[in-house]
Amino acid sequence: MRATVLVRPKDGILDPQGDAVRGSLQKLGFDVGRIRVGRVVDIELAAGDSAFAREQVERMCSELLANPLIESVEIRLDVE
Amino acid sequence: MRATVLVRPKDGILDPQGDAVRGSLQKLGFDVGRIRVGRVVDIELAAGDSAFAREQVERMCSELLANPLIESVEIRLDVE
């Protein structure tokens, strides 16, 4: 099973990387508004059970992958 | 309109960040296989037309957001 985790800065949290990308895209002539930059983590899981896999990935997020104070997490499971 | 761009290291390209995350997760007791770490970029677009928006985002990727030699890109458009 594969999990895709999207980690993004929460609303209201400053995102200097997103602001820098926005400035660069505007200089290149693109008409863009707010831009936010986060991380995508693709994880190959041994777990075969979807509920167990989701619970495992949620624990990975809280223990290592994301800072819950400033980041939000979106988890997608792809059963192969 | 909002676009979500996922930028990932291509297959066969080394991903030291993913390897480090894998090692840390395994030390924490998680049973995980290969892990790849990339970027997610959320873009607010002025464009109202889906085809034009996709073409714009593809140009942003090739001009700034991704290195086509070592990274693959996945584009999702959310019409609001």
Side-chain angles (χ1 to χ4, degrees):
Chain A
M1 192 176 300
R2 193 175 110 157
T4 297
V5 180
L6 303 180
V7 182
R8 296 178 164 107
K10 282 186 179 172
D11 277 344
I13 299 293
L14 287 179
D15 176 21
Q17 198 180 355
D19 295 340
V21 170
R22 181 185 183 185
S24 297
L25 286 174
Q26 288 176 336
K27 270 187 201 149
L28 288 169
F30 293 105
D31 189 4
V32 293
R34 196 170 75 142
I35 297 202
R36 308 285 276 176
V37 177
R39 300 186 297 288
V40 53
V41 186
D42 293 317
I43 304 169
E44 278 180 11
L45 292 162
D49 174 57
S50 287
F52 178 68
R54 180 169 292 274
E55 184 253 332
Q56 287 277 294
V57 175
E58 283 170 0
R59 276 188 46 219
M60 291 176 204
C61 290
S62 60
E63 290 184 27
L64 185 78
L65 299 178
N67 178 348
L69 297 174
I70 58 170
E71 293 171 324
S72 66
V73 163
E74 181 183 338
I75 296 171
R76 295 176 195 162
L77 288 179
D78 300 318
V79 182
E80 279 153 9
Chain B
M1 192 174 301
R2 192 175 110 157
T4 298
V5 180
L6 302 180
V7 182
R8 297 178 164 107
K10 282 187 179 172
D11 277 343
I13 299 293
L14 287 179
D15 176 21
Q17 198 180 355
D19 295 340
V21 170
R22 182 185 183 187
S24 298
L25 285 174
Q26 288 177 336
K27 271 187 199 146
L28 288 169
F30 293 106
D31 189 3
V32 292
R34 196 170 74 140
I35 297 199
R36 308 286 276 176
V37 177
R39 299 187 297 286
V40 52
V41 186
D42 293 317
I43 304 169
E44 278 179 12
L45 292 162
D49 175 57
S50 288
F52 179 69
R54 179 169 293 274
E55 184 253 331
Q56 287 277 295
V57 174
E58 282 170 0
R59 276 188 46 219
M60 292 177 204
C61 290
S62 61
E63 290 184 28
L64 185 78
L65 299 179
N67 178 347
L69 296 174
I70 58 169
E71 292 171 323
S72 65
V73 163
E74 182 184 337
I75 296 172
R76 295 176 194 164
L77 289 179
D78 300 319
V79 183
E80 277 153 10

